[in-house]
Amino acid sequence: MKIDRIHHLNIRCAPDDLAAIEKFYADVVGLQRGHRPPNLRNQGIWLYLGEHPIIHVTARCAQDYVQSDHRGSVDHVAFQSRGAAEFLEKLGRMNIACDQQNVDGAGYQVFVRDPVGTVLEFNFPNSEAPESVASGTLAPRQTLTAP
């Protein structure tokens, strides 16, 4: 077997979360809702980057379950990105909080949370880091958390 790439990620949520998730990923990430096979068991949406549905959203949880009781081990999803200044301006206009870090060799990284708490990492070239985020700056999320 040979793996070519990650095909998609799936975000689980409650039915009432679908609209907020769709709006967030359209407004913040630029993904667009597209075709989803009609014969799937649960409500949901597929969000496309170009012609590929990279995020599947499945409404298969009770309201507030994901935010209060979810204990999954996946920490975040990362997107290779360009245009950091424009992205930071957009987050500011939308009042979306973010953490930032600038790691030599890894890139300038911006972290945000979607409406159900999924952490998204946007990786930009180090050269796009604002002067206020010096090389070597680590985001608070890099601190070890105790159980």
Side-chain angles (χ1 to χ4, degrees):
M1 179 185 79
K2 177 182 171 266
I3 295 174
D4 293 322
R5 62 182 166 88
I6 292 176
H7 187 270
H8 71 273
L9 68 102
N10 186 287
I11 297 171
R12 61 183 171 168
C13 67
D16 289 349
D17 295 324
L18 286 170
I21 291 171
E22 180 179 356
K23 180 174 178 19
F24 177 89
Y25 282 92
D27 293 351
V28 175
V29 184
L31 303 182
Q32 299 300 313
R33 183 178 184 165
H35 173 74
R36 179 178 183 261
N39 58 341
L40 297 174
R41 180 182 304 182
N42 298 300
Q43 291 179 337
I45 55 177
W46 284 10
L47 301 171
Y48 284 68
L49 176 63
E51 296 183 14
H52 188 74
I54 64 167
I55 298 181
H56 298 182
V57 185
T58 307
R60 61 179 182 206
C61 297
Q63 193 63 37
D64 299 321
Y65 167 78
V66 174
Q67 295 89 333
S68 64
D69 296 324
H70 177 60
R71 301 287 185 259
S73 62
V74 173
D75 183 71
H76 65 275
V77 177
F79 297 95
Q80 186 65 46
S81 308
R82 292 182 310 261
E86 177 185 351
F87 184 64
L88 290 171
E89 288 174 15
K90 179 194 291 190
L91 294 178
R93 286 192 308 272
M94 299 175 73
N95 292 319
I96 295 175
C98 69
D99 286 328
Q100 303 171 61
Q101 66 183 27
N102 189 4
V103 179
D104 190 37
Y108 166 59
Q109 299 158 332
V110 178
F111 300 93
V112 301
R113 289 187 179 271
D114 77 6
V116 292
T118 307
V119 175
L120 306 178
E121 175 184 316
F122 296 89
N123 284 279
F124 299 94
N126 290 103
S127 61
E128 292 193 34
E131 289 183 17
S132 61
V133 185
S135 181
T137 301
L138 295 179
R141 67 185 328 276
Q142 298 302 338
T143 304
L144 181 66
T145 55

